[in-house]
C-alpha cells in the first residue's frame, strides 16, 4: 500500500525548528558580512616607466594596470617635487625610474623612490630649478594602458625667439614694417639699356634711366627674413604610425625635418623654427602657437602616412578645409592625426579648448587660398621623386593647420605601412631628396607670391 509524502515525512519538532533558524541566521550573517566587508584590494602594478626630457618641459610617464590616485606638493630649499601614489606597492619596474633620469635633463637632478607607508609609494624629484608641475592621468587608448603623467614646466618659459637667438639660429634684422622691397629684377652695372636715352636739345638735364625689365620667374629680393615653421609630427608618447619593419613615424619625420632645416638655412634671407627638435610630445594647438609667436611666413607639418592595406603608397599634400574633407580618406586621416593629443597625452584641465575654436573661426578663405598655392608648388616637386597618392592637393579639418594668418600645409611623405616605402623613409638618400623637393616647392611658391613686409603681431 502506498503512502502519501506527508506520512512518510518525519515529524518536525521544536528542536528541529531551532536548528533551522540558527542555520538561516548564520547564513544571513555571512551574506551581510560579504556585502559590507570590503574584499582585500589588489595593489596596482606599474607596467612601464618612461622619461621624455626636453627644453620645453620634461615628462615622466608611469604606465599601470589601473587608475591611480595621487597627491603632490613642492618643497623649497632645495627645490623638490614630492608625489604620493596610493594603492601601490614598490616593484622592480618602478625602481627603474631612478636610472631613467639623465644627467642632461633640463629640470630633474635625480629621483628617489620608496615605500612611504603601506599601499603608498612616494616619489621625490630633486629639481635643478623652480618648476610648475602638472600631474594628471590618461585613460587607456591604443596600445597604452592607464597612464600617470608628470609634466615639469619651467616657471619662466623662454620666449621662442629668444631661445633661437641663444642657439645662434636667429639673426637680428631691421623692423620688417620699414624694410624696403627692391624691384623684382635689378639691372647689372655693365648692362646696356634696351632703349636709348632721349636728350632734349637746349637742356642740361640728365636722361632718366630706363626701368629694368622684370623677370616673372625670378623670386623677389627682400631685406627682411622669411621665417619657416617646420613641424615634425608626433613625438614622445605618440610614436605615430609604425611600419612592419619597426620604423616609427615620429623618428623618420624628425630626420626629414632636420635635413630640410639645414637646407633652408643655407638660403639667403631664410630661417627656420622647429616645433620640436627632439623626441618629445607637443600638443597640436601648441605647435600652432609656436609658429605664430615667431611670426612664421609658412607652416609645414611633416608626416608619414599609414593604411590598413600594405599596398597603399605615394606622397600627398593636405591643406585646411572649413567645408568638409575633399575625400573620405582625407577625413579619416585628419581624424587620425587630430587624435594625437589623446595618444600623446594632454592635460584636459589646462587644455585651452576656447583657443582651438577661435583658431578655427579665424581661419579665412585667404589663408586657405595661399595654402593651396603652397601645397600645389610642393606637391609638383615631390612628384619628381616619389609616386603621388593623389594628383591634387587634398583638404580636411586638420587641427594643426588652423593658424589663421599663416599659409599651412601637411605633407605625407610616403606610406610607412608599405614595406617598400618604409625602406625609403629610413634611407638617407630619400630623406635628403624629400627635403630638397620641399625646399624647391617653397622657393617656387615665394617666386610667385613674394612675402609682404608685416608688422610684429601682438
Amino acid at each position: 500500500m502506498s503512502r502519501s509524502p506527508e506520512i512518510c515525512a518525519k515529524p518536525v519538532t521544536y528542536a528541529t525548528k531551532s536548528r533551522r533558524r540558527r542555520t538561516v541566521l548564520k547564513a544571513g550573517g555571512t551574506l551581510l558580512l560579504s556585502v559590507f566587508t570590503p574584499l582585500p584590494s589588489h595593489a596596482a602594478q606599474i607596467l612601464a616607466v618612461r622619461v621624455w626630457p626636453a627644453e620645453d618641459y620634461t615628462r615622466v610617464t608611469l604606465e599601470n594596470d589601473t587608475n591611480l590616485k595621487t597627491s603632490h606638493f613642492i618643497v623649497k630649499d632645495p627645490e623638490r617635487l614630492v608625489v604620493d601614489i596610493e594603492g601601490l606597492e614598490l616593484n622592480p619596474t618602478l625602481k627603474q625610474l631612478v636610472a631613467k633620469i639623465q644627467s642632461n635633463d633640463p629640470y630633474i637632478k635625480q629621483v628617489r623612490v620608496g615605500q612611504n607607508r603601506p599601499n603608498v609609494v612616494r616619489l621625490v624629484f630633486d629639481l635643478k630649478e623652480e618648476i610648475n608641475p602638472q600631474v594628471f592621468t590618461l585613460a587607456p587608448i591604443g596600445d597604452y594602458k592607464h597612464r600617470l603623467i608628470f609634466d615639469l614646466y619651467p616657471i619662466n618659459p623662454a620666449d621662442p625667439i629668444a631661445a633661437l637667438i641663444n642657439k645662434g639660429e636667429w639673426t637680428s634684422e631691421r623692423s620688417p614694417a620699414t624694410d624696403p622691397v627692391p624691384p623684382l629684377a635689378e639691372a647689372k652695372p655693365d648692362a646696356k639699356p634696351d632703349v636709348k636715352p632721349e636728350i632734349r636739345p637746349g637742356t642740361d638735364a640728365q636722361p632718366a634711366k630706363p626701368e629694368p625689365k622684370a623677370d616673372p620667374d625670378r623670386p623677389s629680393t627682400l631685406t627682411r627674413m622669411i621665417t619657416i615653421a617646420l613641424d615634425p609630427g608626433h613625438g614622445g608618447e605618440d610614436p605615430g604610425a609604425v611600419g612592419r619593419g619597426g620604423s616609427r613615424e615620429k623618428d623618420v619625420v624628425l630626420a626629414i625635418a632636420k635635413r630640410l632645416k639645414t637646407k633652408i638655412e643655407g638660403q639667403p634671407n631664410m630661417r627656420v623654427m622647429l616645433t620640436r627638435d627632439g623626441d618629445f610630445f607637443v600638443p597640436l594647438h601648441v605647435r600652432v602657437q609656436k609658429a605664430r609667436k615667431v611670426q612664421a611666413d609658412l607652416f609645414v607639418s611633416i608626416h608619414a602616412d599609414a593604411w590598413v592595406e600594405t599596398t597603399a603608397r605615394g606622397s600627398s599634400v593636405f591643406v585646411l578645409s572649413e567645408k568638409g574633407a575633399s575625400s573620405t580618406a582625407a577625413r579619416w586621416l585628419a581624424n587620425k592625426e587630430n587624435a594625437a593629443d589623446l595618444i600623446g597625452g594632454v592635460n584636459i584641465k589646462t587644455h585651452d579648448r576656447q583657443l582651438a575654436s577661435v583658431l578655427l573661426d579665424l581661419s579665412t578663405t585667404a589663408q586657405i587660398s595661399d595654402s593651396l598655392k603652397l601645397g600645389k608648388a610642393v606637391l609638383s616637386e615631390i612628384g619628381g621623386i616619389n609616386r603621388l597618392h593623389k594628383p591634387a592637393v587634398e583638404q580636411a579639418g586638420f587641427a594643426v593647420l588652423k593658424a589663421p594668418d599663416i599659409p599651412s600645409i601637411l605633407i605625407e611623405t610616403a606610406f610607412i605601412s608599405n614595406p617598400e616605402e618604409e625602406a625609403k623613409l629610413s634611407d638617407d638618400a630619400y630623406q635628403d631628396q624629400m627635403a630638397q623637393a620641399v625646399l624647391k616647392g617653397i622657393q617656387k611658391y615665394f617666386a610667385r607670391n613674394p612675402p609682404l613686409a608685416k608688422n610684429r603681431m601682438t
Side-chain angles (χ1 to χ4, degrees):
M1 184 174 89
S2 62
R3 298 182 180 179
S4 65
E6 290 80 6
I7 297 176
C8 296
K10 294 183 179 179
V12 179
T13 64
Y14 177 79
T16 303
K17 289 181 180 181
S18 298
R19 283 195 299 272
R20 289 181 179 176
R21 190 180 296 111
R22 287 195 297 271
T23 301
V24 171
L25 289 174
K26 287 180 180 180
T30 303
L31 178 62
L32 288 173
L33 287 173
S34 66
V35 170
F36 292 105
T37 302
L39 295 175
S41 60
H42 172 68
Q45 292 295 313
I46 299 297
L47 306 175
V49 294
R50 295 181 290 273
V51 181
W52 308 99
E55 291 185 13
D56 290 21
Y57 71 106
T58 289
R59 166 168 289 190
V60 177
T61 301
L62 305 184
E63 189 174 359
N64 49 87
D65 62 355
T66 187
N67 195 20
L68 296 174
K69 183 179 179 181
T70 67
S71 60
H72 67 277
F73 55 93
I74 294 288
V75 179
K76 298 289 185 180
D77 301 324
E79 292 286 329
R80 285 156 289 165
L81 170 65
V82 181
V83 182
D84 287 338
I85 308 174
E86 299 181 17
L88 192 63
E89 296 292 335
L90 194 60
N91 71 349
T93 303
L94 187 54
K95 290 180 181 179
Q96 293 175 6
L97 181 60
V98 176
K100 296 274 186 176
I101 304 300
Q102 302 173 13
S103 59
N104 62 348
D105 189 295
Y107 305 108
I108 305 175
K109 287 182 182 178
Q110 64 178 4
V111 62
R112 290 168 281 151
V113 183
Q115 194 76 46
N116 181 254
R117 55 188 184 275
N119 292 321
V120 176
V121 167
R122 171 165 288 186
L123 309 180
V124 179
F125 294 92
D126 295 318
L127 305 172
K128 294 181 178 179
E129 64 177 72
E130 191 176 3
I131 56 99
N132 177 25
Q134 291 185 17
V135 181
F136 57 98
T137 58
L138 296 171
I141 185 172
D143 295 331
Y144 291 122
K145 304 296 184 183
H146 293 271
R147 284 175 290 170
L148 175 60
I149 304 291
F150 310 104
D151 283 348
L152 279 55
Y153 290 90
I155 288 291
N156 299 308
D159 178 85
I161 293 181
L164 290 173
I165 291 174
N166 292 335
K167 292 181 181 178
E169 298 176 353
W170 193 276
T171 56
S172 61
E173 60 176 326
R174 288 177 290 172
S175 171
T178 59
D179 280 346
V181 181
L184 288 175
E186 298 176 353
K188 296 180 180 179
D190 57 348
K192 294 182 179 180
D194 294 332
V195 180
K196 292 182 179 180
E198 179 183 356
I199 303 177
R200 296 178 182 179
T203 65
D204 295 328
Q206 295 294 323
K209 293 182 179 180
E211 290 292 331
K213 290 184 177 181
D215 182 358
D217 294 325
R218 179 180 175 182
S220 61
T221 303
L222 294 177
T223 55
R224 81 167 179 89
M225 298 291 286
I226 296 172
T227 304
I228 313 295
L230 297 182
D231 174 50
H234 310 280
E237 287 289 291
D238 177 19
V242 180
R244 289 196 170 187
S247 301
R248 300 180 300 184
E249 180 181 2
K250 68 175 182 178
D251 298 326
V252 297
V253 299
L254 180 60
I256 293 172
K258 286 183 174 180
R259 290 177 183 273
L260 178 54
K261 177 178 182 290
T262 300
K263 292 180 181 296
I264 292 176
E265 288 174 334
Q267 306 304 308
N269 294 330
M270 276 188 160
R271 61 189 172 195
V272 184
M273 185 275 296
L274 290 175
T275 58
R276 70 176 181 94
D277 56 5
D279 188 11
F280 60 96
F281 173 72
V282 181
L284 297 176
H285 73 285
V286 174
R287 296 169 187 260
V288 178
Q289 286 176 344
K290 286 187 170 189
R292 300 193 74 219
K293 284 181 179 178
V294 299
Q295 304 176 66
D297 294 283
L298 297 180
F299 180 90
V300 180
S301 192
I302 303 173
H303 292 256
D305 213 342
W307 189 247
V308 290
E309 299 292 339
T310 58
T311 53
R313 60 181 299 168
S315 303
S316 307
V317 176
F318 294 84
V319 303
L320 182 66
S321 171
E322 289 184 303
K323 299 179 180 179
S326 56
S327 68
T328 302
R331 183 183 301 109
W332 178 87
L333 180 63
N335 291 336
K336 180 177 75 70
E337 298 295 358
N338 292 345
D341 279 354
L342 299 176
I343 299 170
V346 173
N347 187 356
I348 299 299
K349 294 180 180 179
T350 60
H351 183 40
D352 194 340
R353 294 180 179 275
Q354 184 178 3
L355 171 66
S357 63
V358 168
L359 290 180
L360 176 60
D361 295 339
L362 289 176
S363 296
T364 63
T365 303
Q367 187 261 22
I368 294 176
S369 175
D370 287 340
S371 300
L372 282 168
K373 293 175 184 176
L374 172 62
K376 290 176 182 177
V378 171
L379 188 69
S380 66
E381 295 298 330
I382 291 178
I385 66 164
N386 192 35
R387 172 182 174 179
L388 296 180
H389 186 63
K390 289 289 180 67
V393 176
E394 295 198 77
Q395 293 183 256
F398 292 91
V400 80
L401 300 181
K402 292 178 181 177
D405 45 7
I406 307 173
S408 305
I409 62 172
L410 185 146
I411 303 171
E412 295 287 355
T413 52
F415 275 83
I416 201 169
S417 55
N418 180 299
E420 181 182 342
E421 292 202 334
E422 179 187 7
K424 281 185 176 181
L425 288 168
S426 301
D427 180 67
D428 290 344
Y430 181 81
Q431 290 180 0
D432 198 71
Q433 289 176 340
M434 179 59 66
Q436 184 65 32
V438 177
L439 172 61
K440 290 178 67 176
I442 291 173
Q443 291 174 322
K444 183 187 293 185
Y445 168 79
F446 278 124
R448 298 170 180 173
N449 305 275
L452 302 176
K454 56 184 178 180
N455 291 313
R456 183 174 180 84
M457 293 180 295
T458 56

